[in-house]
Amino acid sequence: MRALRIFLVVTVILGGLFVIADRVAVGFAENKAADRIRSTEGLAGTPDVSIEGFPFLTQVAAGELDDVKIGIKDYEASAEGAKGAAGGTIRIDTLNAEMHGVSFNGDYSSATANSASGSATVSYAELLKAAKSQPTEVAPAVTAQVVGLSDGGNGKIKVEITATVLGRKLPRPVSVLSSVSVVGGNTVKVHADGVPKLGVDLVEGRIRTVTDFDQKIDGLPGGIKLDKIEAAANGVDISVKGSDVKLVG
């Protein structure tokens, strides 16, 4: 009995030491990966990296991690507005991704995920950069411009437009509800369900040069692509996905 008790005590101690060593190792790997991602992506801040699954050390021995979660705040993606809107960058407020089947080398300087899924949030103020926010001629002596985007309810975006007709500015903006979608894995498309009434007869195609617009978003980490999108209270929520996603290296 005494020998059995000693064996059990030793087993518990060794098990505890293994757990401690495992958690220390995973913490080191998370910090190392976060630093690599920050350097590779040129981030202003260090991302949150969480390596899921236990034990970590057996995953390391196998050369592949089951799941790695990454969270980045204020990510600057390259952007190109359509219809003559200015390009440059667009700020993604939050970008969260879960990587599955992550293979890596010994010093964590290179890592590739078999697949990835996640979400991104873009504020209406950022999306407004792609709209025609400067006066645009839609008919002789008639100009219009987008002055605001907001949640229109039921998955729609409310696009507010002001116009000047025959030299007189409308007393208040008019609004139109618009659908939002993802095209080609990298472009957010805003399309008005109808056209606003500006007090004069206008060709629909002309007013749509203002109400409808695209925002191309490229350069997400590891080649992740946009998947689906929906309007939310403070901006648009975008689901993202990818395969053979290169995290670092």
Side-chain angles (χ1 to χ4, degrees), residues 7-32:
F7 174 77
L8 292 175
V9 169
V10 170
T11 300
V12 169
I13 291 173
L14 291 177
L17 291 175
F18 175 78
V19 170
I20 293 171
D22 191 82
R23 295 301 87 191
V24 170
V26 76
F28 172 81
E30 288 171 345
N31 292 337
K32 192 77 171 178

Side-chain angles (χ1 to χ4, degrees), residues 41-234:
E41 299 295 332
L43 305 178
T46 302
D48 294 325
V49 175
S50 176
I51 299 175
E52 305 296 301
F54 178 83
F56 167 69
L57 292 175
T58 58
Q59 296 181 65
V60 172
E64 183 174 288
L65 305 178
D66 296 335
D67 294 287
V68 178
K69 294 181 179 179
I70 299 174
I72 303 174
K73 294 185 181 297
D74 298 327
Y75 183 81
E76 295 285 341
S78 60
E80 179 185 336
K83 300 182 178 69
T89 62
I90 184 169
R91 188 182 73 253
I92 298 175
D93 290 346
T94 57
L95 176 60
N96 296 302
E98 184 170 355
M99 312 294 175
H100 310 284
V102 181
S103 57
F104 56 92
N105 63 6
D107 63 353
Y108 308 104
S109 62
S110 176
T112 302
N114 291 332
S115 63
S117 59
S119 62
T121 301
V122 177
S123 70
Y124 288 120
E126 284 294 303
L127 191 59
L128 183 62
K129 293 178 179 180
K132 285 293 183 66
S133 55
Q134 298 296 322
T136 301
E137 186 176 70
V138 294
V142 181
T143 62
Q145 66 189 97
V146 177
V147 293
L149 303 176
S150 60
D151 181 17
N154 297 317
K156 305 289 186 179
I157 292 178
K158 183 169 75 171
V159 181
E160 288 189 297
I161 299 162
T162 188
T164 299
V165 180
L166 300 175
R168 298 185 61 183
K169 188 173 182 178
L170 296 184
R172 63 181 62 86
V174 296
S175 63
V176 60
L177 292 179
S178 299
S179 299
V180 60
S181 60
V182 170
V183 178
N186 65 352
T187 302
V188 174
K189 181 178 287 292
V190 178
H191 180 79
D193 294 348
V195 294
K197 304 299 182 183
L198 301 180
V200 293
D201 291 331
L202 296 172
V203 176
E204 181 175 334
R206 292 293 298 162
I207 188 61
R208 283 194 179 277
T209 62
V210 175
T211 61
D212 298 3
F213 60 92
D214 301 342
Q215 175 64 75
K216 190 174 182 180
I217 302 176
D218 277 325
L220 297 183
I224 292 174
K225 299 294 184 182
L226 310 184
D227 185 24
K228 298 177 182 178
I229 187 171
E230 62 180 14
N234 299 312

